[in-house]
Amino acid sequence: PLTKRQKLSAHMEEAQCASCHRKMDPIGFGMENFTASGKWREKEGSGRRTHKINPSGKFHNGPAFKDFFELRELIASNHQDDFARGFTEALIEYGLGRPFGFTDEDLAQRIMSTAKDKNYALREFIHSLVQAKEFQSK
């Protein structure tokens, strides 16, 4: 039996797969301690076929991390704006009930600007969205 990491390594051998997987797999490895329902676990598999999870990884062209906690700190300290952008787009999609589109760019910029002024507090993202005319007139 192979670990998930070993199974995913096959993607790195195919050039058309590797270009994306080298960017997203390390983040997934760092979050592997979480089950699909968000519970923490130390091992994967079941019965006698369990493996200790290896949550270490390395960002493509970036720093390495040993576990979820280091991954979280790297994102929080080095990729705060990128994370805020992704979160804002997902929040707009959820709040407006449709995919994010180029017409949502101004809304995203307003939400991110407001949230950044308040140190990216979660409530600021949500408050900015629900105050927007795009949300109130959906």
Side-chain angles (χ1 to χ4, degrees), residues 48-92:
R48 294 184 357 214
R49 294 184 175 200
T50 60
H51 305 280
K52 183 172 176 19
I53 292 171
N54 175 5
S56 65
K58 180 181 180 299
F59 283 105
H60 178 64
N61 295 333
F65 53 88
K66 69 177 183 178
D67 57 22
F68 166 74
F69 304 102
E70 283 189 8
L71 169 64
R72 180 183 65 185
E73 290 304 313
L74 285 170
I75 291 171
S77 60
N78 300 329
H79 299 281
Q80 194 173 42
D81 292 338
D82 296 332
F83 183 85
R85 176 61 190 214
F87 180 75
T88 299
E89 289 182 14
L91 184 65
I92 290 170

Side-chain angles (χ1 to χ4, degrees), residues 88-114:
T88 299
E89 289 182 14
L91 184 65
I92 290 170
E93 286 186 353
Y94 180 77
L96 300 183
R98 60 169 174 73
F100 182 88
F102 71 92
T103 59
D104 298 316
E105 189 61 37
D106 289 341
L107 174 59
Q109 290 301 323
R110 290 193 317 266
I111 291 171
M112 288 178 46
S113 177
T114 300

Side-chain angles (χ1 to χ4, degrees), residues 12 15 17-26 58-61:
M12 298 305 285
C17 299
S19 63
C20 293
H21 277 271
R22 69 177 176 221
K23 296 174 186 172
M24 64 184 171
D25 284 358
K58 180 181 180 299
F59 283 105
H60 178 64
N61 295 333

